[in-house]
């Protein structure tokens, strides 16, 4: 169906010079009114006492009905009146609404205005139409302060948003003693464009010849206070309040003439009758969903659209509402309320404006509510993409429901309210190219008995893609390099991770095999090509580089050459070094200059490697690290974490990782605050699980339904038990979406590294918190990675490597520091809630810091960061910070 953009309009041009400026708009979810001297937005609604609302047809009928030369016949006035009656009756027939209309005698009044006479006219001489506007539904409202009517104050100001006129309210409709509220509709008029359109009673396919029923059904919605709705999709029933109609598609005109579920709900919420929840009377046949939308820093997302999909049919949304602005009279900024929804299961999604959904013309917030036109942070320029509850970035403009296990259904019951369906935006969609070193040295030993470095890489990379699959919103590609860079086998270009692709991703990782030299330059160039070759890149692009040695081929090449393509293409580089002979200086400099990070593990610990991979995956998913304990488990022993979730936590991402890829040596369970025990073997309602040979990952949506409780705040118990017959090293890492988050970074103070931390709850810094850091120093023992590449490329090197594993286990020196807020030891200002500590540097290389913030006895947050110190003991600073050493080098959220 070709959509013809013929505009159905509601007149609502509003502007005030005093108080906060509220911009004009054509329509709204409610045709809102600006009141209180231009400082408050209120819904436009009729008073219940005015029911039924009288209306009359101008006695000239549909004049000038052959203006288009289409041979359009005149419409008999009785037939025209009956068509309008049908449109009025469709709204009056909504069962849970007390909205009623009454057709009175035809009138000679032709011009619209606040005269307490509600007319339908083709003969108005005051309105100027554009050539594409078919009709207008005009309401004028009371704009004075709230008053209790009596015999002495019945003459009140009535305004269309600009000029106002005084009218005397009849006692029959507005009795003494009633409270007259600002925004109360006092007059409604429907005016038709008789110059640019002809009108018929049966839909047709002629340009500029329009069906009366389809258009009048829409305009009547405006007459009792409804807005435009942005939901419309080719080939599907569109809601009546969609702001455009086609004049060439008969089926589409018939669809717009009949009400859809969103129309029913809209007619009910402000005119609540029997069954309408929460403002009507029992027995209730509908329910309510409420929530709020905020930015990661706690700022309200104002004027955002929230769509609700029936779980059984996700082809198009069934309900739409908008978040409130700071000017709203009933809700706080960023809050929304979907009232009078039918019982059932729904998916809730937030859709940013200006993302071409449903199409470019209608996707303009200025066509809808005063909230959307006066909103803030509500479009894609604010840095967020389409998300579905609970905070799943779906990977497209319209929601993608392929990963339904990542989207939580919301159950609405008759007479029930479903609260806290909240969103925190910023789960940005990310493109990630994973670039793997598969040089010969990767066949050599890792730091754990029986595990080679290539096996450790496979396990870490598998956990990485499983985490991103669990979190959603990212696309991933893979490149491997040794002497040259190549596609993996099978090739895995940048693509969404979903049920169809995750198996291929696993195969590409498991088929990695080692041999040859180390050509980091070629690997990075191929990774950059993957990212820059995308026709429609995501808002954020990342390259994850793994290497276990120095760049050594081709001879004479300069690793610094990787900087230009990374920085010029705005790609964030995260590099991971695995060993002691690494190109640390260059990789650290390029990574930090791009806004990424460089981390190293000289001890060759598979667990450390997996943790670095998972930390980067969590960064891509905008997760915060909440807790990270490790334990060496004997057979039958458990690693137990009692973790406290608070009110600001929205989901928990639990990772249990171990070293040996035997038959599930570790079994993990999670117990909620109310005592519900979840064995993380497979996905279940509210818990999504990914399991691999050396990891179990689970995403738990909060609140979690535990019997009759909704669990969120309180103590969550995570237990990983060793069910094997041998010792096993185990890490439990908890990530999550949370308002309570740690900001940690490294600055340079007179060339020395200054570790800085601050913990926030929303936008507010937290007081009475202890911050400390556990640091690993660079390793002292060095290997020769080029020789290892050569020896590792010989016949059956992995067998030889495994036989020697454990002979020279390397353990990095560790130390701890307290971050203080006392104005000493590098802290610049006492009491500013920014905790700092100067780091004592003993040798050059990469330092890895685990920063911990403890609030009270058990509540805490963590962050992993790293920094590079050169041979002179001076911290390496990215190029764009060399002139300002007070700027942060790294921020980990």
């Amino acid at each position: 169906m070709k959509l013809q953009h013929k505009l159905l309009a509601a007149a609502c041009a509003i502007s005030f010079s005093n108080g906060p400026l509220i911009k004009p708009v054509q329509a709204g979810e409610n045709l809102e009114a600006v009141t209180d001297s231009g400082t408050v937005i209120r819904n436009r609604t009729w008073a219940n006492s005015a029911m039924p609302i009288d209306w009359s047809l101008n006695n000239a009928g549909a004049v000038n009905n052959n203006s288009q030369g289409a041979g359009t016949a005149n419409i008999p006035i009785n037939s025209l009146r009956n068509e309008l009656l049908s449109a009025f009756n469709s709204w009056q027939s909504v069962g849970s609404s007390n909205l009623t209309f009454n057709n009175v005698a035809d009138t000679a009044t032709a011009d619209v205005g606040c005269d307490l006479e509600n007319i339908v006219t083709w003969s108005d001489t005051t309105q100027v139409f554009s050539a594409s506007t078919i009709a207008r539904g005009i309401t004028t409202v009371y704009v004075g302060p709230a008053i209790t009517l009596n015999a002495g104050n019945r003459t009140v100001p009535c305004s269309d948003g600009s000029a106002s006129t005084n009218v005397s309210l009849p006692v029959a409709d507005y009795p003494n003693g009633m409270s007259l509220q600002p925004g109360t509709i006092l007059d409604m008029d429907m005016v038709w464009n008789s110059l640019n359109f002809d009108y018929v009673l049966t839909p047709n396919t002629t340009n500029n010849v329009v069906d009366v029923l389809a258009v009048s059904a829409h305009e009547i919605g405006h007459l009792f206070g409804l807005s435009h709705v942005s939901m419309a999709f080719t080939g599907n029933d569109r809601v009546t309040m969609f702001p455009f109609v086609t004049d060439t598609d008969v089926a589409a005109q018939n669809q717009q003439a009949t009400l859809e579920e969103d129309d029913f709900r809209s007619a009910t919420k402000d005119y609540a009758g029997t069954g309408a929840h929460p403002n009507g009377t029992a027995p209730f046949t509908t329910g309510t969903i409420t929530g709020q939308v905020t930015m990661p820093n706690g700022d309200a997302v104002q004027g955002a659209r929230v769509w609700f999909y029936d779980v059984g049919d996700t082809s198009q949304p069934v309900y739409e509402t908008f978040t409130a602005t700071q000017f709203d009279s009933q809700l706080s900024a960023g809050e929304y309320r979907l009232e009078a929804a039918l019982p059932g299961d729904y998916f809730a999604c937030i859709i940013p404006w200006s993302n071409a959904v449903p199409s470019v013309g209608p996707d303009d917030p200025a066509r809808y509510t005063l909230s959307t036109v006066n909103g803030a942070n509500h479009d894609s320029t604010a840095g967020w993409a389409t998300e579905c509850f609970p905070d799943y970035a779906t990977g497209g403009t319209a929601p993608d429901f392929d990963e339904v296990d990542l989207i939580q259904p919301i159950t609405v019951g008759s007479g029930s309210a479903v609260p806290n369906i909240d969103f925190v935006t910023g789960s940005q969609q990310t493109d990630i190219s994973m670039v793997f070193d598969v040089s010969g040295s990767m066949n050599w030993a890792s730091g754990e008995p029986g595990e080679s470095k290539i096996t450790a890489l496979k396990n870490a990379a598998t956990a990485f893609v499983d985490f991103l699959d669990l979190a959603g919103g990212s696309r991933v590609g893979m490149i491997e390099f040794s002497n040259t860079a190549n596609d993996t086998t099978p090739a895995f270009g940048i693509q969404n991770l979903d049920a169809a692709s995750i198996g291929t991703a696993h195969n590409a990782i498991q088929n990695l095999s080692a041999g040859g030299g180390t050509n980091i330059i070629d690997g990075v160039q191929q990774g950059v090509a993957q990212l820059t070759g995308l026709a429609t890149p995501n808002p954020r692009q990342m390259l994850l580089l793994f290497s276990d040695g120095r760049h050594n081929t081709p001879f004479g090449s300069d690793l610094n050459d990787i900087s230009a393509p990374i920085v010029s293409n705005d790609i964030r580089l995260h590099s991971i070094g695995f060993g002691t002979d690494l190109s640390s200086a260059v990789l650290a400099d390029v990574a930090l200059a791009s806004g990424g990070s460089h981390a190293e593990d000289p001890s060759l610990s598979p667990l450390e490697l997996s943790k670095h991979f998972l930390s980067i995956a969590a960064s891509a998913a905008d997760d915060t690290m909440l807790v990270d304990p490790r334990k060496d488990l004997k057979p039958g022993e458990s690693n137990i974490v009692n973790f406290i979730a608070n009110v600001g936590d929205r989901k928990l991402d639990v990772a249990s990782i171990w070293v040996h890829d035997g038959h599930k040596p570790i079994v993990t369970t999670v117990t909620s605050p109310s005592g519900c025990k979840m064995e993380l073997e497979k996905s279940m309602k509210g818990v999504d699980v990914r399991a691999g040979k050396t990891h179990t990952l689970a995403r738990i949506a909060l609140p979690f339904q535990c019997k009759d409780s909704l669990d969120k705040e309180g103590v969550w118990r995570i237990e990983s038990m060793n069910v094997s017959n041998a010792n096993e090293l185990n890490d439990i890492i908890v990530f999550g979406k949370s308002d309570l988050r740690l900001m940690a970074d490294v600055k340079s103070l007179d060339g020395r590294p200054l570790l800085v931390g601050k913990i926030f709850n929303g936008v507010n810094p937290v007081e009475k918190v202890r911050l400390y850091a556990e640091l690993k120093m660079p390793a002292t023992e060095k290997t020769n990675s080029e020789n290892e590449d050569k020896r590792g490329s010989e016949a059956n090197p992995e067998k030889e490597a495994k036989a020697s594993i454990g002979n020279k286990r390397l353990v990095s020196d560790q130390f701890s520091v307290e971050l203080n807020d006392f104005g000493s030891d590098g802290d610049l200002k006492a009491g500013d809630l920014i905790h700092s500590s100067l780091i004592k540097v003993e040798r050059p290389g990469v330092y890895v810091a685990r920063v911990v913030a403890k609030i009270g006895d058990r509540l805490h947050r963590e962050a992993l960061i790293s920094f590079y110190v050169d041979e002179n003991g001076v911290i390496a600073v990215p190029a764009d910070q060399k002139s300002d050493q007070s700027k942060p080098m790294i921020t980990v959220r």
Side-chain angles (χ1 to χ4, degrees):
M1 178 184 72
K2 182 179 179 181
L3 179 66
Q4 303 294 321
H5 280 195
K6 310 299 183 182
L7 182 62
L8 300 168
C12 184
I14 301 170
S15 177
F16 287 84
S17 59
N18 55 330
L21 178 62
I22 298 178
K23 300 175 185 177
V25 69
Q26 280 194 291
E29 185 196 22
N30 266 85
L31 282 175
E32 299 158 321
V34 178
T35 65
D36 300 70
S37 299
T39 62
V40 177
I41 296 175
R42 300 179 188 272
N43 284 352
R44 293 185 172 212
T45 56
W46 286 89
N48 285 332
S49 60
M51 302 293 170
I53 305 168
D54 292 339
W55 67 275
S56 58
L57 175 62
N58 172 257
N59 57 20
V63 300
N64 194 30
N65 207 39
N66 194 14
S67 63
Q68 301 304 302
T72 310
N74 288 329
I75 303 175
I77 195 164
N78 287 338
S79 300
L80 184 62
R81 188 185 306 107
N82 288 334
E83 196 81 342
L84 291 165
L85 277 168
S86 294
F88 276 105
N89 285 336
S90 65
W91 289 104
Q92 184 172 271
S93 299
V94 176
S96 53
S97 171
N98 62 13
L99 185 68
T100 53
F101 301 97
N102 180 44
N103 178 225
V104 297
D106 294 351
T107 180
T109 303
D111 292 345
V112 303
C114 190
D115 53 10
L116 303 188
E117 186 177 8
N118 308 314
I119 67 170
V120 180
T121 178
W122 272 257
S123 300
D124 180 90
T125 62
T126 66
Q127 297 292 307
V128 178
F129 287 95
S130 72
S132 62
T133 300
I134 302 169
R136 290 193 178 109
I138 302 172
T139 57
T140 45
V141 302
Y142 171 62
V143 292
I147 57 174
T148 300
L149 289 175
N150 57 51
N153 64 359
R154 308 195 62 76
T155 300
V156 299
C158 178
S159 174
D160 64 357
S162 53
S164 64
T165 185
N166 290 335
V167 294
S168 296
L169 302 180
V171 176
D173 291 336
Y174 303 93
N176 289 333
M178 77 161 282
S179 177
L180 183 65
Q181 296 294 319
T184 299
I185 301 173
L186 302 180
D187 185 282
M188 67 181 193
D189 298 304
M190 186 190 305
V191 57
W192 297 74
N193 183 349
S194 60
L195 297 178
N196 303 107
F197 295 92
D198 293 343
Y199 298 91
V200 291
L201 302 182
T202 302
N204 72 104
T205 58
T206 305
N207 282 324
N208 298 329
V209 178
V210 182
D211 178 51
V212 170
L213 184 62
V215 176
S216 59
H218 175 97
E219 298 304 335
I220 291 166
H222 291 319
L223 295 185
F224 63 86
L226 296 193
S227 75
H228 290 151
V229 172
S230 72
M231 302 183 299
F233 296 86
T234 300
N236 296 285
D237 281 356
R238 66 181 65 187
V239 291
T240 296
M241 297 313 297
F242 184 65
F244 295 94
V245 69
T246 173
D247 53 10
T248 59
D249 189 302
V250 170
Q253 292 171 67
N254 285 327
Q255 289 167 6
Q256 197 139 16
T258 58
L259 306 188
E260 301 298 327
E261 287 301 332
D262 190 74
D263 301 311
F264 293 142
R265 180 196 70 84
S266 298
T268 299
K269 64 187 180 64
D270 286 310
Y271 302 94
T274 301
H277 187 269
N279 298 320
T281 55
F284 292 113
T285 57
T286 60
T288 301
I289 302 172
T290 62
Q292 62 179 338
V293 184
T294 58
M295 299 286 284
N297 65 359
D299 289 349
V301 179
Q302 306 176 42
R305 54 183 171 182
V306 190
W307 284 357
F308 297 85
Y309 290 77
D310 188 319
V311 169
D313 180 7
T314 57
S315 61
Q316 65 183 57
V318 291
Y319 296 127
E320 174 180 76
T321 189
F322 305 111
T323 59
T325 71
Q326 60 181 314
F327 305 107
D328 194 272
S329 63
Q330 295 180 311
L331 301 174
S332 297
E335 291 184 344
Y336 70 86
R337 183 166 59 208
L338 186 82
E339 301 166 318
L342 288 176
D345 292 331
Y346 299 95
F347 295 132
C349 304
I350 51 174
I351 315 294
W353 294 101
S354 306
N355 70 350
V357 176
S359 63
V360 174
D363 198 58
D364 176 0
R367 299 194 184 281
Y368 301 95
T369 68
L370 287 170
S371 293
T372 62
V373 80
N374 290 281
N377 306 319
H378 62 18
D379 61 25
S380 54
T381 62
W384 57 276
T386 296
E387 298 178 23
C388 293
F389 183 79
D391 282 335
Y392 170 61
T394 65
T397 50
D400 177 4
F401 293 100
D402 288 343
E403 287 285 338
V404 293
D405 55 339
L406 302 180
I407 304 174
Q408 181 177 319
I410 301 155
T411 300
V412 175
S414 295
S416 68
V418 184
N420 303 320
I421 305 304
D422 301 332
F423 295 85
V424 176
T425 66
S427 294
Q428 290 191 51
Q429 296 160 306
T430 306
D431 298 323
I432 305 170
S433 179
M434 303 175 69
V435 179
F436 302 128
D437 180 353
V438 291
S439 59
S441 57
M442 288 295 294
N443 279 321
W444 286 96
S446 77
E448 290 297 329
E451 299 297 313
S452 65
K453 288 190 283 185
I454 191 72
T455 299
L457 170 62
K458 292 177 182 181
N459 291 335
T462 301
F464 181 90
V465 297
D466 279 355
F467 188 99
L468 292 179
D469 179 39
L470 194 68
S474 296
R475 296 186 297 189
V476 173
M478 300 181 198
I479 294 292
E480 61 178 43
F481 69 89
S482 53
N483 291 325
T484 58
N486 300 284
D487 288 331
T488 55
T489 304
F492 200 83
I494 302 283
Q495 58 190 282
N496 288 321
L497 289 171
D498 53 32
S501 65
I502 192 66
T504 306
H506 289 164
N507 287 338
I509 293 168
Q510 292 306 312
N511 288 336
L512 296 174
S513 60
T518 302
N519 190 343
I520 296 176
I521 295 176
D522 204 17
V524 169
Q525 289 175 340
Q526 291 298 317
V528 170
Q530 270 195 339
L531 295 168
T532 57
L534 292 168
T536 55
N538 272 322
R540 182 169 57 193
Q541 294 197 305
M542 177 187 299
L543 191 148
L544 187 156
L545 170 66
F546 167 86
S547 178
D548 80 322
R550 289 181 176 272
H551 173 76
N552 57 42
T553 188
F555 178 77
S557 55
D558 186 350
L559 185 57
N560 284 290
D561 290 345
I562 68 172
S563 179
I566 291 289
V567 175
S568 63
N569 288 293
D570 196 23
I571 295 170
R572 186 175 299 178
L573 173 65
H574 291 279
S575 62
I576 300 175
F578 199 46
T580 57
D581 186 29
L582 301 164
S583 304
S584 302
V586 175
L587 293 179
D589 186 60
V590 177
L592 298 179
S594 74
S597 62
H598 174 71
E600 292 184 3
D601 179 45
S603 66
L604 302 178
S605 164
L607 276 190
E608 284 297 317
L609 184 63
S610 291
K611 188 164 74 171
H612 285 315
F613 268 80
L614 286 173
S615 296
I616 294 169
S619 173
D622 298 296
D623 266 13
T624 297
M625 183 183 289
L626 309 180
V627 68
D628 172 32
R630 174 176 297 180
K631 192 172 183 180
D632 194 349
L633 303 178
K634 298 176 182 178
E637 193 175 6
S638 292
N639 189 4
I640 298 174
V641 175
N642 289 316
F643 167 75
I644 298 179
N646 77 338
V647 67
D649 295 337
R650 297 179 297 281
K651 60 176 64 71
L652 301 178
D653 289 331
V654 177
S656 179
I657 57 177
W658 54 92
V659 174
H660 301 107
D661 55 3
H663 182 66
K664 288 189 178 180
I666 301 292
V667 174
T668 302
T669 60
V670 176
T671 304
S672 72
S674 294
C676 284
K677 190 173 183 179
M678 296 155 267
E679 295 185 359
L680 304 186
E681 294 294 316
K682 60 181 180 179
S683 298
M684 64 195 78
K685 186 175 182 180
V687 183
D688 202 17
V689 175
R690 300 290 185 273
K693 294 179 180 179
T694 58
H695 66 266
T696 296
L697 309 175
R699 168 160 283 197
I700 304 171
L702 301 180
F704 174 76
Q705 184 73 50
C706 175
K707 301 174 184 176
D708 295 329
S709 301
L710 287 174
D711 278 353
K712 189 174 186 178
E713 299 123 283
V715 178
W716 292 75
R717 177 185 172 92
I718 303 164
E719 179 178 0
S720 288
M721 177 181 286
N722 182 4
V723 296
S724 72
N725 295 321
N727 285 12
E728 186 60 73
L729 198 60
N730 172 248
D731 246 345
I732 295 175
I733 312 172
V734 182
F735 303 95
K737 299 283 188 183
S738 178
D739 292 337
L740 187 67
R741 64 202 190 282
L742 171 64
M743 311 285 281
D745 57 50
V746 178
K747 297 180 180 181
S748 175
L749 184 63
D750 298 327
R752 294 179 60 191
L754 179 70
L755 199 57
V756 179
K758 188 173 185 178
I759 188 151
F760 287 86
N761 191 1
V763 297
N764 300 313
V766 177
E767 300 181 15
K768 298 180 181 179
V769 58
R770 177 196 171 204
L771 271 79
Y772 64 93
E774 298 171 349
L775 293 96
K776 288 187 177 181
M777 296 174 59
T780 55
E781 182 175 330
K782 294 289 183 180
T783 58
N784 186 311
S785 61
E786 186 171 5
N787 288 339
E788 287 188 342
D789 281 346
K790 294 175 181 178
R791 290 186 60 204
S793 300
E794 298 170 356
N796 204 14
E798 188 169 3
K799 181 177 180 181
E800 178 185 348
K802 286 187 176 183
S804 66
I805 286 173
N807 291 341
K808 291 185 178 181
R809 176 175 293 188
L810 181 63
V811 179
S812 296
D813 296 332
Q814 300 187 39
F815 64 101
S816 298
V817 297
E818 290 283 333
L819 278 63
N820 80 89
D821 189 22
F822 305 134
S824 61
D825 193 27
D827 186 60
L828 299 179
K829 183 178 179 181
D832 62 356
L833 303 183
I834 300 175
H835 299 246
S836 311
S837 179
L838 276 171
I839 305 302
K840 183 179 180 181
V841 177
E842 295 188 1
R843 53 180 176 260
V846 173
Y847 289 73
V848 179
R850 172 176 173 253
V851 184
V852 180
K854 297 198 71 173
I855 307 162
D857 293 333
R858 290 180 291 178
L859 185 61
H860 65 287
R861 294 292 183 264
E862 300 188 10
L864 277 179
I865 59 175
S866 57
F867 57 93
Y868 179 78
V869 176
D870 66 17
E871 287 77 5
N872 297 316
V874 177
I875 185 170
V877 179
D880 63 347
Q881 296 180 20
K882 291 186 185 300
S883 62
D884 182 2
Q885 297 206 343
S886 67
K887 290 184 178 180
M889 290 182 60
I890 313 168
T891 299
V892 181
R893 302 174 186 267

